[in-house]
Amino acid sequence: MPAAKTATILCIDDEPTALSVRRLLLESAGYQVATAHSGEEGIRIFKSQPIDAVIMDYWLSGMDGIEAARELKRIRPAIPIVVLSALTELPGESIGAADRWFLKGEDPAYLLNAISTLLEARA
Amino acid sequence: MSTTKGSVSDTSSRAPLAPWRADDHDPHGHVVQFYSEDRSLIETLGQFIGSALEAGDAAIVVATEAHRHRLAEELKARGIDAPSAIEQGRYISLDAVEAMAQTMLDGWPDETRFADHLGRVISRARLAAEKARRSNGPLIIEPRVVAFGEMVALLWAEGRHPSAIRLEQLWNDLAKTHSFSLRCAYPMGGFHRQEHSEPFLRICTEHSAVIPGESYTSLKSEAERLRNISQLQQKAQALEAEIVQRKEAQESLRQREIALREAEQNAAMGKLAAVIAHEINNPLEVIANVFFLLRDHPSLDDNARGLTRIAEEEISRVRHIANQTLAFYRESEKPISVSLNQVLDAVLEIYARPLKSQGIAVEKNYGREREILAYPVEIRQVFVNLIGNALQAMPDGGLLRVGIHDSSETIQGSRRTGLRVNISDTGVGVPAKYRDRLFEPFVTTKAEKGTGLGLWVSRGIVQKLGGSIRFRSGKIGGKTRTSFSVFIPTGQEAPENVS
């Protein structure tokens, strides 16, 4: 198993079912997974334990995904962040807040591939 | 029955005899006068009728009550003894409305009624004039008859244009059996619309002579009149040009209104699409993840795994159709600067797995970093579609070339500089039967695997950026090569010789 796959991924989503299935997906690919149900919780976890990458929902209740992503980048600029969105488009100014963004429902293999690439690039 | 030309002298001292007045003396003349002010009509009418009465001829007036009243005053001012002429019966003044009632049938000028009524009036006036002349001695010169008719102008004013022209024809028919000199008059203000041009011309052709409006007839010298004609020609030219400009402006406005309506519809569709996309894609992600996990789950036998793969393919179709269609309707936001290099790299990364598994080599030729103003999601969609198509065309491997270079293209008549992205594959090629229709919606070369929306959506996105998509597909050196070329203008206009 490559070193990148032992990495810990923080998943942030306010949809419990989506979050639990995404955790299973990432675990099946060999990652350790931490989960948070809001942007605020995600930031707390990020500050309290070693996180190698973040996958988060764009549309979160409370602090929105982009706001949270910007805060995470402020804390640690090198952290790879993938934003998932159910919308077919994102506001232009949001694009730079994440390293990658994916449309929800796309082939999960693309997401795993992107995470792997981002972690390898960071390593 | 005849009169001798020149036997009547124009006694008016108010205005000089203008060239067009010669027709007043034609016993068969049917002259039409156009006027702007009633005053002008009454003045020329006073001259026309007054000179006839003064010469002992007969005169008939068929006019509105107001005009008859003003004419009586005008004749009086000219020293014409109209009441005596009326008493003698050689001057007959009729109300136009009443005369119309007697000559029309079911709202249309009736030939028989007209000929009977007006024919009798003309004959009566002529006989009265002859009688009056005989009372002064032997009849040497037969009296002539002059008539003024305003029924046509009333019909025209009521918008009954065909009736007015028909009545003019009936006057002409009457002239074949009765000798009289006729004057008609229309206010020029009644011909203010462009569609009046044709009937106006018809009215003119129904007459033996035309007296233009007073702005022309009041001019004293030939030089002034020629100047006036030139001025009118210039005005006509300017008006015609203005009409053309106005029509163009109206058409442009109409087009903008259509575009605005479409934009409003698209905005409404965009909002709806965003909601639908959100509602579809959220559960779709969970379903896609679940089937991805099930795909190789050890508890499933081969049959069950086969079923999960079918489900995954169908999920992929749902995702594709939903996103392609919904992506087409977007809310307008400002485009931002997007690196084409990064977009293409991101798309190639998405396809990393199939590229590898299908044995497709990738040749990138980006050159320096190049940026365009675009909507990132949209422009990414274009290359997801084009590169995805290339992959599907090469199931057994091949070469995918992706290049960016500076270029220019003539778009709507102007040369634009910009960037060109070329994506070429060595796949199966585009069958000839699809080539003309490749960018139409629902046209697919991929049988049940394709939605036929990808290229249609892509072209729409590129066109919104002011660019274009072209493609070529054919055999080069025995190998099939298909190349899609996306041109995106960067805004500057280049000289024609830039290639």
Side-chain angles (χ1 to χ4, degrees):
Chain A
M1 192 177 288
K5 295 226 170 173
T6 60
T8 301
I9 316 285
L10 171 62
C11 278
I12 310 172
D13 201 322
D14 54 1
E15 280 284 327
T17 310
L19 191 60
S20 63
V21 175
R22 205 175 298 136
R23 168 199 276 273
L24 291 173
L25 177 75
L26 291 167
E27 285 175 349
S28 78
Y31 297 109
Q32 289 182 15
V33 180
T35 57
H37 293 86
S38 70
E40 291 85 347
E41 188 188 356
I43 290 166
R44 271 199 306 278
I45 292 171
F46 186 71
K47 283 178 177 169
S48 65
Q49 67 183 83
I51 299 294
D52 298 295
V54 181
I55 298 174
M56 59 196 303
D57 189 17
Y58 164 68
W59 199 342
L60 290 170
S61 49
M63 181 187 227
D64 75 34
I66 294 306
E67 208 181 332
R70 287 191 177 129
E71 179 60 15
L72 295 173
K73 282 281 187 187
R74 195 190 61 75
I75 297 166
R76 199 180 344 143
I79 184 73
I81 298 179
V82 173
V83 175
L84 303 175
S85 173
L87 301 173
T88 52
E89 65 189 57
L90 297 170
E93 64 274 14
S94 306
I95 304 300
D99 297 281
R100 293 282 185 275
W101 30 267
F102 277 91
L103 192 62
K104 284 188 177 180
E106 281 191 291
D107 190 335
Y110 297 161
L111 177 65
L112 294 177
N113 198 50
I115 285 292
S116 170
T117 307
L118 287 170
L119 289 170
E120 278 168 19
R122 198 195 56 139
Chain B
M1 207 180 286
S2 69
T3 56
T4 305
K5 275 193 180 179
S7 63
V8 181
S9 62
D10 189 336
T11 56
S12 169
S13 57
R14 293 188 183 189
L17 186 68
W20 52 84
R21 298 288 313 283
D23 277 59
D24 287 1
H25 306 283
D26 180 355
H28 301 288
H30 183 182
V31 177
V32 61
Q33 177 184 352
F34 297 100
Y35 63 96
S36 298
E37 303 286 339
D38 273 11
R39 180 186 49 75
S40 171
L41 170 71
I42 298 300
E43 198 175 299
T44 52
L45 203 53
Q47 195 168 305
F48 178 62
I49 298 294
S51 62
L53 294 180
E54 205 169 34
D57 292 328
I60 298 157
V61 169
V62 187
T64 62
E65 197 181 335
H67 284 168
R68 288 164 67 211
H69 178 72
R70 289 191 62 184
L71 177 61
E73 287 177 345
E74 175 73 17
L75 291 171
K76 194 176 174 185
R78 285 171 180 263
I80 310 291
D81 186 7
S84 294
I86 291 171
E87 203 171 308
Q88 287 169 347
R90 64 184 177 96
Y91 178 33
I92 300 172
S93 177
L94 302 173
D95 182 78
V97 178
E98 284 175 18
M100 231 161 50
Q102 289 179 9
T103 55
M104 307 277 280
L105 186 63
D106 298 329
W108 182 250
D110 183 74
E111 191 177 348
T112 311
R113 283 184 171 208
F114 183 86
D116 283 356
H117 185 61
L118 271 307
R120 262 204 307 273
V121 170
I122 290 167
S123 299
R124 206 167 69 221
R126 179 184 303 286
L127 285 171
E130 282 176 4
K131 191 179 167 190
R133 279 199 181 170
R134 280 200 186 94
S135 67
N136 293 330
L139 182 67
I140 301 166
I141 301 168
E142 286 189 14
R144 65 186 188 117
V145 179
V146 299
F148 170 73
E150 215 177 16
M151 291 184 287
V152 284
L154 289 181
L155 287 170
W156 183 268
E158 288 172 11
R160 297 159 72 183
H161 302 168
S163 293
I165 290 169
R166 177 62 187 149
L167 202 59
E168 294 285 12
Q169 289 165 345
L170 293 184
W171 275 113
N172 285 337
D173 289 347
L174 194 64
K176 291 172 190 166
T177 54
H178 296 73
S179 178
F180 60 97
S181 177
L182 175 66
R183 174 79 60 89
C184 302
Y186 291 82
M188 200 47 129
F191 300 90
H192 60 286
R193 301 180 71 91
Q194 206 190 354
E195 61 259 34
H196 293 152
S197 300
E198 194 267 331
F200 179 82
L201 198 63
R202 280 205 65 187
I203 288 171
C204 290
T205 55
E206 291 295 338
H207 294 83
S208 57
V210 175
I211 301 176
E214 57 268 33
S215 62
Y216 183 76
T217 56
S218 63
L219 300 174
K220 301 286 185 287
S221 70
E222 184 66 9
E224 274 184 310
R225 286 194 279 270
L226 286 173
R227 219 172 13 248
N228 186 256
I229 288 172
S230 302
Q231 205 176 15
L232 290 172
Q233 285 173 334
Q234 186 275 328
K235 276 186 185 170
Q237 185 71 38
L239 274 174
E240 273 178 30
E242 198 176 312
I243 287 166
V244 170
Q245 279 177 356
R246 200 163 288 187
K247 278 185 179 166
E248 282 172 358
Q250 279 172 346
E251 179 57 20
S252 163
L253 189 65
R254 198 179 68 84
Q255 294 292 345
R256 263 181 277 170
E257 279 172 358
I258 291 171
L260 185 66
R261 268 201 300 277
E262 280 178 3
E264 284 169 353
Q265 282 169 358
N266 278 355
M269 286 295 285
K271 282 182 185 139
L272 182 65
V275 173
I276 292 172
H278 190 259
E279 296 309 307
I280 289 176
N281 288 334
N282 268 323
L284 202 61
E285 188 217 359
V286 177
I287 298 166
N289 286 348
V290 166
F291 277 103
F292 183 83
L293 289 167
L294 282 175
R295 187 194 288 174
D296 299 314
H297 203 278
S299 67
L300 296 185
D301 61 19
D302 285 348
N303 279 343
R305 283 202 193 94
L307 291 173
T308 63
R309 289 202 192 287
I310 291 170
E312 277 192 295
E313 280 171 19
E314 295 307 304
I315 289 165
S316 169
R317 277 166 62 80
V318 171
R319 174 172 59 229
H320 198 60
I321 291 170
N323 294 337
Q324 294 282 24
T325 312
L326 300 180
F328 198 66
Y329 297 101
R330 64 180 315 287
E331 286 182 82
S332 60
E333 291 158 14
K334 281 186 181 174
I336 61 166
S337 183
V338 180
S339 159
L340 274 179
N341 308 49
Q342 285 179 20
V343 168
L344 288 168
D345 273 344
V347 174
L348 287 171
E349 189 186 301
I350 287 172
Y351 288 119
R353 200 173 64 158
L355 283 168
K356 195 175 173 185
S357 65
Q358 287 172 220
I360 297 168
V362 179
E363 190 179 294
K364 294 197 285 186
N365 183 18
Y366 294 171
R368 62 180 171 81
E369 182 87 5
R370 289 180 171 88
E371 294 191 339
I372 56 163
L373 276 180
Y375 303 96
V377 176
E378 285 190 348
I379 200 70
R380 175 173 171 264
Q381 184 79 47
V382 171
F383 298 116
V384 163
N385 291 338
L386 295 180
I387 293 176
N389 285 348
L391 260 62
Q392 286 179 325
M394 298 186 285
D396 302 318
L399 176 63
L400 173 71
R401 283 199 176 99
V402 183
I404 315 172
H405 61 267
D406 295 321
S407 183
S408 69
E409 193 167 303
T410 300
I411 295 171
Q412 292 178 339
S414 68
R415 199 80 180 153
R416 304 288 301 273
T417 55
L419 298 173
R420 190 177 296 285
V421 178
N422 285 319
I423 293 163
S424 71
D425 67 67
T426 53
V428 293
V430 179
K433 66 175 178 177
Y434 291 113
R435 288 181 191 172
D436 291 340
R437 305 187 53 205
L438 206 58
F439 292 98
E440 290 178 23
F442 307 112
V443 172
T444 177
T445 63
K446 295 178 279 189
E448 74 279 359
K449 283 188 177 175
T451 60
L453 293 173
L455 289 176
W456 176 64
V457 167
S458 298
R459 189 177 64 168
I461 291 169
V462 172
Q463 281 178 342
K464 274 202 288 187
L465 295 172
S468 66
I469 299 190
R470 291 198 301 253
F471 83 98
R472 277 186 297 187
S473 186
K475 285 199 170 179
I476 302 169
K479 285 186 179 174
T480 304
R481 176 156 300 179
T482 302
S483 175
F484 279 82
S485 164
V486 178
F487 176 75
I488 299 163
T490 47
Q492 302 94 328
E493 202 159 309
E496 268 303 320
N497 57 0
V498 173
S499 58

